[in-house]
Amino acid sequence: MTRRNLELLLLVIAAPLVIVLFAMLLIHDGMVVTVENLAVPLGIFGAFLVAHIAVRIFAPAADPAILPITFALSTIGIAFVTRIVPDMAVRQLMWLYAGIACMVLVLVFLKNIDRLAQYKYVLVLLGILLLLSPMLPVVGTEINGSRLWLRVGSFSFQPGELAKICIVLFLAGYLALNRELLSVFTWRVGPFWLPDLRTLMPMVVMWLLAFMVVVLEKDLGLALVLFAVFLVMLYCATGKKLYVVTGLLMAAVAAVALYGLFSHVQLRVSIWMDPFADAQNTSYQLAQCLFSIADGGMFGTGIGRGLGADIPIPYAYNDAIFAVIAEESGLLGAAGILLLYLSFAIRGMVVAARAKSDVSSLIAVGLTSVIVLQAFIIVGGITDLIPLTGITLPFIAQGGSSLLSSFIIVGILLRCGDEGPGSTQELMQTTGSISSNSVLGRVALGKRLTATMIFLSLLFVALVANLTWWMVINADNIQQMPGNGHTLAKQAEAERGTISTYDGVVLAQSIEENGHFQRVYPAGTLASHIVGYASQQYGTAGIEAAYNETLQGNQDFATWSDALNMLAGVGNPGNDVTLTINSKIQQAAQDALEGNVGACVVIDPKTGAMLGLASAPTYDAADFERLLSDAATNSSDSSALFNRATQALYAPGSTFKIVSLTAALEDGVATLDSTYDSPASIDIGNADVTNARDIAYGNITLARALEVSSNTVFGQVGEQLGAERLVTAAESFGFNGNPNFTLPLAKSLMPVPSEMTTWETAWAACGEPVGEHESPAGPQATVLEMALTGCAIANNGTIMTPYLVDGIYNANGERSFSPTPTVFKQATSAQTAQQVRDAMLGVVTNGTGYPAAINGVEVAGKTGTAENGDGTTNMWFVGMAPADNPQVVVAIVIEKGENSIAAYKAKDVLETSLALYGLL
């Protein structure tokens, strides 16, 4: 079979496949599959038939596979551009026809490819001018941080696409002319022969050119393509692996320099290293690509059924079009696309092997590498194999400049193949013996092309392996990520369970709209930090995240029928989650923080049930998407989204004296009646420890020292205890460890004892972290941790594990879960806890905690004042009531608050809680 007949056969074989692809799109859109509706793929096939005829006439000996491969890739591209952005499809189709026309014109007018070498310096000058033209004022345009475009009115063009061709043509002419010089190493270093500086000059120039592209135009992708193509061409021309090693070292130097100089390079690298660390902001595009790819699985979601184009992935029609293809066609379809590019690479190298001259051979190598390496770089980027760069996927991605230049490359490759001598002549011209530095011969060229082809094949094997990881091996983990909006969008087809308070106030529920369920939050700001959110775009947070599977009805089954329905794929309505939170206590906690910044936690010390958990500033849960969007664009303060009750670390101030006092009593260091001198200032560890407002209290008992919150006394207690016993005591209250809690919880911190000085230990006993060493300064505590500290004293030394969920019910109201209180820590003995509680009662009746006193109920508590670096103070209170048998513990911090404000606010919360318990 002749080459042209084989080409025609391959076109005919490819045509039904792409027509079926368009037919699937029509079916998805509810249209009838008719010849009229298939006009686009039939028209494209017709255009390629015309191109085939042109090849028969003007390049009859050209490679028979390149045109059919191009037909398959470009038609797939038109189909998916139509799928993603229908409004751009017609324009892309026009560019496709223009590209085919340019390909034919190349065949018609470019009769002798070697003549291009005579204009190599004109070509390189033209290429550099094209590269730099986007820097021109007025017409040069910056888009998404990269200055790559020329724009005149509504017409825009990316000159760098044509610049690549010009630079490859120059390199082919230059390397063909100077390959003997470049192949001879004249500089001897020990036993090694190395190229002299003049020989290395082309590599340095290309390195500087690529570096310039990154610096001036911020285009990492184009720079990478140019330098990689140059190294491939240089290796094929000389066969010297040292050039490749040197080039890679230079690229590494450039990478380090660019990383240190430019923030956008640092950002690309950080996104590559962890694409999900900032998935709703800086790495949003890559995260969405990986979410789409993971959804594809082995066989795909089906053409038109993926979510990558609907959520959508930013720039899904050009930079990230491969992610949409992978999602909808699966691993098999995505690997098929990569196989087409690999086939293009193989045929391009075959053309290089058949070419009649060194110039045409190197042109074929360079232009083939442009297409193939560009495909590798963009696919590797959106699959997180390498850092993401904004270049197009040749033939497939939307973009007229890329499509036009790709078809010009095809035209030149067809011309190179047409000038080939044929296999018989190849064998006749083969040199029998070639030294390492001799004139380029067919055998030598064949070996280099084979090595290059193996290298390119390994690149695509790496891409397929990486796709297999994301689409098959790790797909389940990706789909279950809280920020995966794809999973949530699918879940919107089923009713998600409600979230409500212990006393029946609905905090979150699903409302059906047009066959889909919309998540709504009817309670406004009430418990918004606890509930979190469920969003197709931003994923899940809070209870919505922690109980995601339960709310979907996929776990915590109340009956066997619920479990069987799930296993059989029969949709269950989601389970309802009832919290331990009491709406009135929660509202009281939020009211206590109104107008301030801080947090408040209310716990039942006997069970660990959370009665209230508030953070200020707060937000309306129904408005979370606007807040997240504004935060992503840095257009507003996002602090309202931050849960200060569980995630902020504060110096606990004098509330930590609860821990210090417990340690002293438990270890027999002191008793409540032990007396200490309480001067305004005392030297401990060769530095001062001072009382607030420089007040001296004289000779007082340890109990009185707690009431007046004497730092100089508790500094002495800290010195008596020593760092080891103080840290051990803090850890028995939960520092340096966390309970198994529903919401994300920062770890409360204490230093490594061996690193603590005597002065630091004295201040740590007073609740002030002043150390500077490898381990973190301490104490630093969350508000929840200080509430648990209060619970230990309230519950006879035992800290119960805090929990937020009181029950889980199916749609029929059948209960599937009831909490079982468990012990988190045994902080101290019951006897010591009773002594500390008695001392804390004195704080409220006779000391700094007097604003928390409630008529008719005894309150035990401890105030705290923690200094900030700016001269302001955070005000604390940890309290419990009734003091003889505490039912409620409250911990509250108010940032930059006025004196005693925390105790006043805690009183309000305690009164509300006690009233609900019938104790007031």
Side-chain angles (χ1 to χ4, degrees):
M1 183 180 291
T2 66
R3 284 175 168 259
R4 300 284 62 81
N5 288 342
L6 178 58
E7 180 180 81
L8 179 60
L9 177 62
L10 292 174
L11 284 171
V12 171
I13 290 173
L17 300 178
V18 296
I19 289 173
V20 167
L21 177 60
F22 275 88
M24 294 170 72
L25 284 177
L26 291 173
I27 294 170
H28 175 264
D29 293 338
M31 301 175 65
V32 179
V33 179
T34 63
V35 174
E36 181 180 354
N37 288 337
L38 292 173
V40 170
L42 292 174
I44 297 172
F45 180 63
F48 272 88
L49 284 179
V50 172
H52 164 72
I53 294 171
V55 175
R56 276 186 179 271
I57 297 171
F58 298 107
D63 188 88
I66 289 179
L67 191 65
I69 293 171
T70 304
F71 166 64
L73 290 172
S74 56
T75 310
I76 290 170
I78 293 294
F80 276 93
V81 170
T82 303
R83 155 80 179 101
I84 300 167
V85 279
D87 295 342
M88 294 184 178
V90 173
R91 186 173 183 179
Q92 184 74 354
L93 187 61
M94 293 302 101
W95 278 110
L96 175 63
Y97 290 144
I100 294 173
C102 287
M103 178 186 69
V104 173
L105 290 174
V106 167
L107 294 175
V108 172
F109 292 104
L110 187 60
K111 298 295 187 182
N112 188 343
I113 203 80
D114 287 352
R115 287 188 179 180
L116 291 174
Q118 300 173 16
Y119 306 99
K120 55 183 175 291
Y121 294 108
V122 175
L123 288 168
V124 72
L125 180 61
L126 178 60
I128 293 174
L129 290 175
L130 286 170
L131 278 179
L132 296 179
S133 59
M135 305 305 297
L136 292 172
V138 183
V139 292
T141 303
E142 182 175 313
I143 299 177
N144 299 323
S146 297
R147 197 174 180 91
L148 306 175
W149 297 84
L150 295 177
R151 184 181 296 277
V152 179
S154 61
F155 177 79
S156 60
F157 192 78
Q158 196 170 347
E161 296 291 342
L162 293 179
K164 289 184 290 190
I165 299 175
C166 294
I167 290 172
V168 167
L169 295 177
F170 157 73
L171 288 173
Y174 179 87
L175 293 173
L177 183 64
N178 296 283
R179 56 181 170 76
E180 292 185 65
L181 174 65
L182 294 170
S183 299
V184 177
F185 292 176
T186 58
W187 182 24
R188 185 166 184 171
V189 178
F192 302 104
W193 288 95
L194 302 175
D196 58 30
L197 295 179
R198 288 180 304 169
T199 306
L200 288 173
M201 192 55 61
M203 183 179 296
V204 175
V205 171
M206 281 303 301
W207 182 82
L208 290 173
L209 181 63
F211 196 91
M212 178 184 65
V213 169
V214 177
V215 172
L216 297 180
E217 301 184 355
K218 298 182 180 178
D219 188 357
L220 297 172
L222 179 58
L224 190 56
V225 169
L226 287 175
F227 195 68
V229 168
F230 167 70
L231 288 182
V232 171
M233 294 179 69
L234 183 60
Y235 170 73
C236 288
T238 65
K240 299 295 184 181
K241 297 182 180 66
L242 182 62
Y243 282 131
V244 178
V245 174
T246 304
L248 292 176
L249 290 175
M250 293 174 68
V253 171
V256 172
L258 291 170
Y259 182 84
L261 291 172
F262 298 105
S263 59
H264 68 278
V265 177
Q266 296 168 10
L267 180 61
R268 292 291 179 93
V269 173
S270 64
I271 291 172
W272 169 57
M273 294 181 70
D274 189 352
F276 304 110
D278 193 16
Q280 305 306 330
N281 189 7
T282 55
S283 60
Y284 180 76
Q285 183 188 35
L286 180 56
Q288 292 300 321
C289 286
L290 295 176
F291 291 156
S292 289
I293 290 169
D295 281 352
M298 184 64 72
F299 302 104
T301 61
I303 304 302
R305 297 179 180 274
L307 295 174
D310 300 327
I311 283 184
I313 300 172
Y315 305 101
Y317 49 87
N318 47 31
D319 292 3
I321 195 169
F322 186 82
V324 178
I325 295 173
E327 179 183 14
E328 299 190 357
S329 64
L331 177 61
L332 295 180
I337 298 290
L338 296 178
L339 185 60
L340 286 174
Y341 282 109
L342 185 58
S343 299
F344 189 96
I346 293 171
R347 299 313 303 177
M349 294 302 161
V350 169
V351 168
R354 295 186 66 253
K356 71 174 184 178
S357 66
D358 292 347
V359 171
S360 56
S361 179
L362 291 172
I363 287 174
V365 168
L367 294 180
T368 299
S369 298
V370 166
I371 296 293
V372 176
L373 289 175
Q374 189 165 317
F376 169 79
I377 290 168
I378 185 58
V379 174
I382 65 171
T383 58
D384 202 40
L385 182 63
I386 60 176
L388 179 61
T389 58
I391 58 177
T392 57
L393 185 62
F395 301 112
I396 291 180
Q398 188 276 334
S401 312
S402 174
L403 202 57
L404 201 64
S405 64
S406 297
F407 274 97
I408 292 173
I409 287 174
V410 170
I412 296 174
L413 286 175
L414 291 173
R415 173 55 65 206
C416 290
D418 183 57
E419 291 184 348
S423 57
T424 303
Q425 289 175 276
E426 285 178 40
L427 292 174
M428 292 173 62
Q429 293 176 9
T430 298
T431 1
S433 177
I434 302 172
S435 69
S436 62
N437 294 324
S438 69
V439 176
L440 185 64
R442 290 288 169 179
V443 171
L445 175 63
K447 290 180 178 178
R448 296 167 195 171
L449 292 176
T450 300
T452 302
M453 195 59 249
I454 292 173
F455 167 70
L456 294 177
S457 299
L458 290 175
L459 292 183
F460 280 84
V461 168
L463 287 179
V464 173
N466 195 42
L467 277 173
T468 303
W469 165 255
W470 290 115
M471 301 183 75
V472 179
I473 300 172
N474 198 40
D476 287 344
N477 293 332
I478 301 301
Q479 289 166 352
Q480 292 171 13
M481 283 185 172
N484 191 334
H486 290 223
T487 301
L488 292 171
K490 298 169 190 172
Q491 294 166 3
E493 298 177 2
E495 183 177 4
R496 192 176 178 87
T498 63
I499 302 173
S500 59
T501 65
Y502 183 82
D503 52 336
V505 176
V506 175
L507 302 173
Q509 63 185 141
S510 295
I511 304 295
E512 187 173 6
E513 294 180 2
N514 301 321
H516 287 75
F517 288 90
Q518 182 72 28
R519 198 65 167 169
V520 297
Y521 300 91
T525 63
L526 188 68
S528 56
H529 287 99
I530 300 173
V531 175
Y533 53 79
S535 164
Q536 293 182 21
Q537 181 174 1
Y538 297 106
T540 57
I543 293 293
E544 293 275 31
Y547 283 82
N548 186 45
E549 292 293 311
T550 298
L551 290 163
Q552 293 175 53
N554 293 334
Q555 66 181 31
D556 291 315
F557 305 112
T559 65
W560 281 104
S561 61
D562 289 345
L564 292 173
N565 285 340
M566 190 279 293
L567 293 173
V570 178
N572 286 322
N575 295 315
D576 298 330
V577 173
T578 300
L579 304 179
T580 57
I581 298 297
N582 183 287
S583 65
K584 294 180 177 62
I585 296 176
Q586 177 68 27
Q587 190 62 59
Q590 293 183 200
D591 291 345
L593 299 171
E594 184 70 29
N596 296 290
V597 176
C600 181
V601 172
V602 189
I603 308 182
D604 179 344
K606 299 186 181 302
T607 64
M610 303 292 298
L611 306 177
L613 188 151
S615 176
T618 187
Y619 64 96
D620 188 329
D623 201 30
F624 75 90
E625 288 194 331
R626 181 189 63 79
L627 289 171
L628 288 168
S629 176
D630 290 347
T633 58
N634 297 316
S635 62
S636 73
D637 182 10
S638 61
S639 62
L641 296 166
F642 183 56
N643 189 345
R644 286 169 168 78
T646 58
Q647 294 176 290
L649 288 175
Y650 296 95
S654 293
T655 58
F656 188 78
K657 289 170 183 172
I658 299 171
V659 176
S660 304
L661 178 59
T662 302
L665 298 177
E666 186 75 14
D667 290 352
V669 170
T671 68
L672 291 177
D673 296 325
S674 297
T675 58
Y676 293 83
D677 185 27
S678 178
S681 177
I682 188 171
D683 183 289
I684 299 178
N686 299 318
D688 288 338
V689 176
T690 58
N691 284 336
R693 299 184 297 279
D694 294 324
I695 297 175
Y697 296 102
N699 197 42
I700 58 176
T701 65
L702 185 55
R704 183 57 183 166
L706 187 73
E707 293 172 0
V708 298
S709 203
S710 170
N711 290 336
T712 55
V713 169
F714 273 88
Q716 295 173 67
V717 171
E719 183 181 18
Q720 289 177 295
L721 283 168
E724 187 71 42
R725 285 197 287 186
L726 183 64
V727 171
T728 300
E731 289 176 344
S732 70
F733 279 88
F735 283 79
N736 290 336
N738 273 337
N740 182 19
F741 192 58
T742 306
L743 302 180
L745 181 60
K747 182 187 293 185
S748 297
L749 302 173
M750 284 295 286
V752 173
S754 61
E755 296 178 354
M756 297 174 68
T757 65
T758 301
W759 178 72
E760 178 187 353
T761 304
W763 271 116
C766 301
E768 293 290 347
V770 296
E772 294 183 2
H773 34 60
E774 185 175 348
S775 63
Q780 298 180 66
T782 63
V783 181
L784 177 58
E785 168 57 34
M786 294 316 298
L788 295 178
T789 298
C791 286
I793 304 305
N795 192 38
N796 298 319
T798 302
I799 305 176
M800 305 302 291
T801 303
Y803 62 94
L804 273 166
V805 173
D806 179 70
I808 297 172
Y809 304 84
N810 69 7
N812 297 321
E814 298 169 293
R815 189 168 188 142
S816 63
F817 168 79
S818 295
T820 301
T822 59
V823 174
F824 169 52
K825 292 279 187 178
Q826 186 65 43
T828 188
S829 66
Q831 181 182 0
T832 300
Q834 179 64 57
Q835 289 180 286
V836 175
R837 192 160 68 244
D838 291 341
M840 291 173 66
L841 175 61
V843 172
V844 177
T845 57
N846 301 309
T848 57
Y850 70 91
I854 299 173
N855 289 332
V857 176
E858 289 186 325
V859 177
K862 183 67 190 81
T863 56
T865 302
E867 296 182 1
N868 298 316
D870 58 2
T872 61
T873 54
N874 295 337
M875 306 306 297
W876 279 89
F877 186 79
V878 175
M880 59 202 70
D884 60 341
N885 184 24
Q887 304 296 309
V888 180
V889 170
V890 174
I892 184 170
V893 66
I894 295 180
E895 298 181 20
K896 301 180 181 180
E898 299 175 355
N899 190 39
S900 299
I901 187 174
Y904 279 112
K905 297 296 185 179
K907 173 185 176 181
D908 297 336
V909 179
L910 283 169
E911 285 182 329
T912 300
S913 304
L914 293 172
L916 289 170
Y917 275 88
L919 299 174
L920 189 65

